[in-house]
Amino acid sequence: MMWRALSADWLKIRGKGIWFLVFLGPVGLIAMQGLNFGLRYDYLRGQYQADLWDGLLSNIASFVPIALYLGGTLVSSLIANVEHQTSAWKQLLALPVPRTAVFMAKLLLCLLLLAVSCLLLSAGTIVLGLLLGFGVQPIPYTDVLRIGFAAYAAAMPVIALQLWLSLSSRNQTLPVSVGLTLSLLSPFGLFFSEWVPLSWPDLAWSASRPWLFSGAGLLLGLLVLFPGALHFARKDVD
């Protein structure tokens, strides 16, 4: 059931601008760091000459949390608005498909789209490093993949919360406002306690045991997911 709902949702997002957002995040980050290193090439190359790739990854990593939170907010809102704007919820939920399957299909679609963004970020990082001449040192493929996907796992609670809010409210002011607020606070994540989930995407890159924060994000994301699916299954929709 969920896979049929996912296939239908995949077709619905055509022409909705969602794919533009999926590409905009990673391309924007890579372009920004390309400009940063291009304008200060000699200085930054000298500063990071011991490990050029680590210098590039560290500069990109500081902007990944805000991109994830903002991207998750906008993608969730646009996916929900496909049904809200056409008032199609009653017709959709009248079909012989469990409400939980509808919720899970939209969650999976959101996660797949954000995973594509993370993959594009990793690929773009390698391309940028090669263009900057960093190919003289071995490419740290594990760290290149970790820069996006570790933070992605750590940000899962916020992504699940954003989809829950977006699907539950016809007026997207609240979910978008919450997402924007969290995005603006995310650059200060390292100043928060490690018990604050908002800091986990940063710690998933910079902590001595980063896997703990990625794992905590996945676990808390599941804990947020269950009440969200239950609330959606019981809620009356317009």
Side-chain angles (χ1 to χ4, degrees):
M1 290 290 187
M2 185 183 72
W3 299 112
R4 291 173 59 188
L6 177 61
S7 299
D9 285 335
W10 196 267
L11 295 175
K12 290 178 184 178
I13 65 173
R14 290 182 178 179
K16 301 297 183 181
I18 298 179
W19 282 108
F20 174 74
L21 286 176
V22 169
F23 282 85
L24 180 62
V27 170
L29 281 181
I30 296 301
M32 181 174 62
Q33 289 306 316
L35 182 62
N36 177 36
F37 275 79
L39 293 176
R40 303 190 297 160
Y41 183 77
D42 292 332
Y43 169 74
L44 291 176
R45 188 179 176 93
Q47 185 177 7
Y48 300 125
Q49 60 181 342
D51 193 337
L52 296 172
W53 287 101
D54 182 67
L56 176 61
L57 290 171
S58 297
N59 276 271
I60 294 175
S62 60
F63 295 96
V64 170
I66 189 172
L68 275 173
Y69 287 142
L70 188 58
T73 296
L74 296 178
V75 168
S76 296
S77 181
L78 287 173
I79 289 175
N81 264 336
V82 171
E83 313 297 346
H84 289 316
Q85 290 180 345
T86 57
S87 299
W89 280 118
K90 287 186 177 180
Q91 294 90 331
L92 175 62
L93 298 178
L95 298 174
V97 179
R99 286 192 174 198
T100 52
V102 174
F103 182 90
M104 294 301 296
K106 293 189 181 299
L107 175 67
L108 186 56
L109 177 61
C110 179
L111 295 180
L112 286 173
L113 292 171
L114 292 175
V116 171
S117 283
C118 291
L119 188 60
L120 289 173
L121 177 63
S122 296
T125 299
I126 293 177
V127 172
L128 177 59
L130 293 176
L131 290 175
L132 292 172
F134 295 173
V136 295
Q137 296 181 352
I139 300 174
Y141 290 104
T142 300
D143 287 339
V144 168
L145 287 173
R146 188 165 67 88
I147 194 174
F149 286 98
Y152 176 40
M156 204 62 69
V158 173
I159 296 171
L161 175 63
Q162 284 301 129
L163 186 69
W164 178 5
L165 293 175
S166 296
L167 292 178
S168 300
S169 176
R170 184 179 182 88
N171 186 340
Q172 294 295 293
T173 301
L174 175 60
V176 171
S177 297
V178 171
L180 289 176
T181 301
L182 295 177
S183 300
L184 293 174
L185 290 174
S186 63
F188 307 100
L190 290 177
F191 298 101
F192 300 147
S193 166
E194 64 181 21
W195 294 100
V196 178
L198 197 64
S199 68
W200 292 353
D202 276 309
L203 293 171
W205 171 256
S206 60
S208 57
R209 292 187 292 177
W211 57 270
L212 286 176
F213 300 97
S214 296
L218 290 173
L219 179 59
L220 184 57
L222 287 174
L223 294 178
V224 174
L225 168 64
F226 288 128
L230 184 61
H231 175 256
F232 180 79
R234 295 182 175 181
K235 184 180 184 298
D236 291 331
V237 294
D238 298 326

